[in-house]
Amino acid sequence: MSHPEPNTVSDPTAEDASTGTDAQPYGPRETADPTAASPDPAGPSGEAPADDTADKPRWRRDATIFLGGQTVSLFGSMLVQYAIMWHLTLETKSGGVLALATVFGFLPQAVVSIFGGVWADRLNRKVLIIAADASIAVTTLALALLMLSGTDDLWLIYAALAIRSIGAGIQMPAVSSLLPQLVPVSRLMRVNGINGSIQSAMTLLAPAVAAGVYASSSIVAIFFVDVVTAVIGIGLLALIPVTKVLRTDVAAGEKVGYFDDLVGGLRYLRGHAFVRWVLGLYAVVFLLIVAPSYLTPLMVVRTFGEEVWKLTANELAFSFGAILGGVLLATWGGLKNRVAMIVGATFVFGVLSVGLGLSTNMWVFFTFMFLLGVAVPAFATTSMTVLQETVEPDRQGRVFGFVGIVMALAMPLGMLIFGPLADRYSVESLLIVSGALMFLVIAIAVLVPSGRRAMRAADAHSSAGA
């Protein structure tokens, strides 16, 4: 992977990420430190050079094949997730069983993600993704064969969920950090927007297909479908030439241990104020918006009625909004000032959360759910893109490992907090409180030193690029 020459930045607030002093808030800089990583190809502004597509002439083909393979693989995985939860619900009717399934499905990913991020920076990311996908497929196939033979003990399902979760923890950092190897920096936002729309569409399609297959056949049939989709995904990924990322944070010929890399990733986060700011904001907002949104079906039932079509409309409103938001982002490309877009989307989350809590009309409520879906890509996709634009390629795996931890823990941790509260207080009041807390988060985010530096730097670079 080729990179332009470093951009020299004389910002007096900048710091070297490996030393722990204050980091350049928005994009890497040139430094005399021999262990410092190469600068971001986009430069400190987060905007790619106009001709950066020339370095990757096959990027459209590679990105299409990569996203196509990941979409097929994701589809199979989502089928299995729905099928297992339905199967356990119907066969056991036990809340404890479902709780354990959730733990086995999320916790291993959270634990493994940080280690998977290190592997993504040390190994060929394509090989790592293929190995994780293959391991998940073999596990699913083994479970299918065991269930065909009449063995369907709960511990087998729990074990399969745990192994699949481990595979996801290894895979997620590699997938997130591989995309910038294939796509020019100037196209990352658009490609991430397309990817987000595809994933949102899968949330509409997968439950319907899973229900059809499960009703007409069995859960084993869904397992076999997942194995086939994994094989297709692996085959498509194998068509893309991917080289191991060149390490610029170590001297030529120097051997760095695995745990040295792990510590190096932690030191990088501690020293890079802007990356730390993005990750912190991402974690808090994810916690405040994901869990309350999962409680909206409960509000629909309590306030607007128990009809199934109302619950369906609630889910469809959000999913169609998320699809539209991704399409708009892919078409528009987002604001040049990524920081303003992240902060603005967080403010919109707060407004919409309060609006949901105050809604007394069902159709107004569904409208707010639709708008919430539209706003999600503006925050989530922009956050991921700015990390891809800012973090050096040979450190992206470790950074996205931390993102994987947030994604794996946000929903169960949030439900652990908001779920019991929903039994004591109305969902409406929780949504209003969540929205109010979002405004507080914005105030803190823009007032902390790293936030102020990020806003100033983003404003300056956006003005310079105007």
Side-chain angles (χ1 to χ4, degrees):
M1 185 177 179
S2 59
H3 301 283
E5 289 301 310
N7 294 305
T8 304
V9 179
S10 57
D11 182 355
T13 67
E15 85 174 349
D16 182 87
S18 64
T19 64
T21 54
D22 244 357
Q24 165 73 8
Y26 199 23
R29 64 183 179 91
E30 185 177 25
T31 175
D33 182 359
T35 67
S38 61
D40 172 41
S45 68
E47 298 176 40
D51 62 346
D52 68 336
T53 55
D55 291 335
K56 298 172 182 175
R58 292 158 49 105
W59 74 270
R60 293 182 187 276
R61 168 197 175 272
D62 290 347
T64 300
I65 293 175
F66 178 68
L67 293 184
Q70 289 302 299
T71 299
V72 173
S73 181
L74 173 67
F75 179 66
S77 296
M78 293 183 72
L79 292 182
V80 171
Q81 289 173 5
Y82 285 112
I84 287 180
M85 295 306 290
W86 293 342
H87 179 77
L88 293 177
T89 300
L90 294 172
E91 294 297 321
T92 70
K93 298 180 178 63
S94 168
V97 167
L98 294 178
L100 281 175
T102 302
V103 170
F104 284 113
F106 284 97
L107 187 59
Q109 178 180 348
V111 174
V112 170
S113 285
I114 186 171
F115 302 105
V118 176
W119 288 325
D121 286 339
R122 292 174 65 91
L123 306 174
N124 186 301
R125 288 162 180 167
K126 180 177 86 169
V127 174
L128 197 60
I129 295 169
I130 289 175
D133 235 356
S135 299
I136 293 172
V138 169
T139 300
T140 306
L141 179 61
L143 180 60
L145 295 176
L146 285 170
M147 293 185 75
L148 275 178
S149 69
T151 306
D152 59 353
D153 295 341
L154 277 177
W155 72 266
L156 286 173
I157 296 178
Y158 291 153
L161 285 172
I163 295 173
R164 291 175 64 88
S165 183
I166 290 171
I170 295 172
Q171 198 176 51
M172 183 271 172
V175 169
S176 298
S177 54
L178 177 58
L179 195 60
Q181 283 186 251
L182 306 176
V183 178
V185 176
S186 62
R187 301 295 187 268
L188 274 174
M189 180 71 89
R190 297 178 186 275
V191 172
N192 281 328
I194 293 171
N195 190 32
S197 292
I198 292 172
Q199 292 185 17
S200 298
M202 289 299 99
T203 64
L204 287 174
L205 181 62
V209 175
V213 176
Y214 189 84
S216 62
S217 184
S218 68
I219 191 173
V220 174
I222 292 178
F223 290 158
F224 283 128
V225 171
D226 181 50
V227 173
V228 172
T229 58
V231 171
I232 294 172
I234 290 171
L236 289 173
L237 182 56
L239 299 175
I240 305 173
V242 177
T243 59
K244 184 179 175 182
V245 173
L246 178 65
R247 294 290 297 268
T248 58
D249 58 341
V250 295
E254 180 184 355
K255 291 186 177 180
V256 180
Y258 176 89
F259 286 100
D260 292 330
D261 272 340
L262 181 60
V263 172
L266 294 169
R267 186 179 296 122
Y268 179 80
L269 285 182
R270 184 188 68 190
H272 203 306
F274 177 68
V275 172
R276 191 172 64 246
W277 179 83
V278 173
L279 282 178
L281 183 60
Y282 185 84
V284 175
V285 171
F286 226 68
L287 182 68
L288 290 176
I289 200 64
V290 170
S293 68
Y294 270 79
L295 294 176
T296 55
L298 187 59
M299 177 177 166
V300 170
V301 170
R302 289 178 178 177
T303 305
F304 303 122
E306 299 181 6
E307 292 87 346
V308 173
W309 73 266
K310 294 179 180 178
L311 293 172
T312 304
N314 180 59
E315 299 299 329
L316 289 177
F318 180 84
S319 296
F320 277 119
I323 293 172
L324 178 60
V327 170
L328 290 175
L329 206 55
T331 305
W332 167 40
L335 297 175
K336 291 183 178 180
N337 188 328
R338 307 291 199 222
V339 175
M341 193 161 178
I342 292 172
V343 172
T346 305
F347 178 80
V348 171
F349 282 162
V351 171
L352 293 175
S353 185
V354 172
L356 285 168
L358 294 176
S359 297
T360 55
N361 179 278
M362 182 180 66
W363 296 108
V364 173
F365 180 85
F366 290 157
T367 300
F368 280 129
M369 282 299 294
F370 174 79
L371 294 175
L372 183 64
V374 173
V376 165
F379 177 82
T381 302
T382 304
S383 298
M384 293 300 97
T385 301
V386 80
L387 289 175
Q388 291 170 335
E389 292 172 341
T390 303
V391 178
E392 295 81 4
D394 53 335
R395 284 172 167 150
Q396 285 184 7
R398 282 165 283 183
V399 170
F400 283 111
F402 289 103
V403 173
I405 294 173
V406 173
M407 294 176 68
L409 290 181
M411 196 276 281
L413 181 60
M415 288 304 291
L416 188 65
I417 297 171
F418 286 98
L421 288 176
D423 290 332
R424 297 191 60 184
Y425 306 100
S426 67
V427 177
E428 289 91 334
S429 63
L430 295 180
L431 288 168
I432 292 171
V433 170
S434 175
L437 289 175
M438 209 81 71
F439 299 138
L440 179 62
V441 167
I442 294 173
I444 295 174
V446 299
L447 290 177
V448 296
S450 55
R452 290 200 304 271
R453 285 196 297 271
M455 296 294 290
R456 286 198 302 268
D459 286 338
H461 295 315
S462 296
S463 299

